[in-house]
Amino acid sequence: MPPPSLTAANDRVAAASAANGHAGPDARRRAGKGKKVHPLPADGAAMGDGASGGERLAGGRRPMDWLSPAGVAGILRRHPLPVLFACGLLLFMGVEYTIPMVPAAAPPLDLGFHATAAMHAGIAARPWLNSLLAALNTVFVAMQAAYILWAVLAEQRPRAAIATLMMFTCRGLLGCSTQLPLPAEFLGSGMDFPVGNVSFFLFYSGHVAGAVIASIDMRHVGRRRLAVLYDTLNLLQFVRLLACRGHYTIDLAVGVGAGLLFDMLAGWYLDSKNVDSGDNRCCSSCQKALVSQKLTS
């Protein structure tokens, strides 16, 4: 046990650090490794009133001090992204409440279709090009499936596979709940996945979501160059699906979000099973089953 004098000195240092707005070791550990901790302002500093007392909240903050000019300036300086989204909220509130609604008998308005009108005309005039692009897109889908299967079977990392199962199940539920009309200018091909000109759900794009899941998994294990390759191919797939009217823009955009969401949910699931979140290998019960199977065989 340290002597009382040393304990008292440590207490005085900790109190002084707290008064000056510096986070202690425990606070830094709670904030997480590599995360930046914004120190609290000293008494009366950045409050906009020059006072040094009065009512305070937990952590030494005054009530509503972020509404002062200095507080607003600090928010603009430290958190520009939320400020940008706040401006976006105000902008699109005005757009939403004044934009003309699409009549019931009119086709959906899709800006992605307008942006790819020239590409659509060129592909429509060349059926061989439509089939070639569809075949290449099917190869990319096979690449996604091959990687995800390799990760779970050969490397025993089930995160991408679990995310994919979640994603396609949710896609099926949403696709059955709301069936969007097929775009009038759709360019079908027997070479496109699913092969054979069969029916499919428009909302949301499983092509895009699967590629996002595979790309994120590559980044989890440090395969950044391969992830960049998949992201590039996914972008080309995005443009091709718009040009061929295989999906609406909203289908593709939500596909990106779905890939991000279900990778996160799969990570939460594995964390709940006490699987190392940095490795995401099979849980202990799965490992025991694999070992016992090898021993019996």
Side-chain angles (χ1 to χ4, degrees):
M1 177 180 295
S5 59
L6 182 58
T7 303
N10 290 337
D11 291 341
R12 286 194 298 271
V13 171
S17 298
N20 292 328
H22 297 296
D26 293 338
R28 285 193 294 269
R29 283 194 294 270
R30 286 194 299 269
K33 184 178 180 181
K35 294 184 179 179
K36 184 177 181 180
V37 179
H38 296 305
L40 293 172
D43 290 350
M47 297 297 181
D49 56 2
S52 61
E55 183 183 358
R56 289 182 177 274
L57 301 176
R61 294 171 296 172
R62 284 192 176 86
M64 306 299 286
D65 60 0
W66 52 274
L67 289 180
S68 65
V72 172
I75 292 174
L76 292 173
R77 182 177 66 255
R78 293 175 175 173
H79 306 287
L81 188 60
V83 173
L84 179 63
F85 282 120
C87 296
L89 169 64
L90 298 176
L91 171 64
F92 287 108
M93 282 177 64
V95 172
E96 180 181 3
Y97 300 152
T98 57
I99 192 171
M101 300 293 288
V102 177
L109 173 63
D110 194 301
L111 296 181
F113 289 0
H114 288 282
T116 57
M119 296 180 62
H120 173 79
I123 296 174
R126 301 170 180 83
W128 63 268
L129 180 58
N130 182 36
S131 297
L132 176 61
L133 294 176
L136 293 175
N137 207 154
T138 299
V139 171
F140 180 47
V141 173
M143 290 169 57
Q144 302 171 28
Y147 175 82
I148 293 172
L149 289 174
W150 173 265
V152 66
L153 297 178
E155 298 180 340
Q156 299 181 12
R157 295 187 302 102
R159 178 167 180 163
I162 294 173
T164 303
L165 295 175
M166 291 179 174
M167 181 271 291
F168 276 110
T169 300
C170 184
R171 178 176 179 267
L173 292 173
L174 294 176
C176 290
S177 300
T178 302
Q179 298 186 32
L180 299 175
L182 191 68
E185 299 178 330
F186 172 63
L187 301 177
S189 173
M191 300 298 294
D192 208 349
F193 182 86
V195 178
N197 278 324
V198 299
S199 60
F200 59 95
F201 293 129
L202 283 168
F203 187 86
Y204 44 84
S205 173
H207 289 65
V208 172
V212 170
I213 290 173
S215 172
I216 295 175
D217 186 80
M218 294 169 188
R219 286 180 166 82
H220 287 322
V221 293
R223 296 167 178 158
R224 299 190 179 278
R225 292 185 178 179
L226 189 58
V228 170
L229 172 63
Y230 268 58
D231 288 339
T232 303
L233 295 176
N234 198 14
L235 179 61
L236 296 175
Q237 173 182 247
F238 196 106
V239 175
R240 179 253 162 184
L241 289 172
L242 279 178
C244 295
R245 308 301 188 250
H247 277 288
Y248 295 104
T249 302
I250 192 172
D251 306 331
L252 303 172
V254 174
V256 175
L260 296 169
L261 171 65
F262 289 110
D263 173 78
M264 180 180 65
L265 293 179
W268 287 355
Y269 170 79
L270 292 172
D271 288 341
S272 71
K273 297 295 182 181
N274 296 322
V275 180
D276 182 7
S277 59
D279 197 11
N280 291 131
R281 294 189 181 275
C282 297
C283 60
S284 58
S285 59
C286 296
Q287 293 284 4
K288 291 177 181 177
L290 291 172
V291 171
S292 62
Q293 183 179 2
K294 291 179 181 179
L295 292 176
T296 55
S297 61

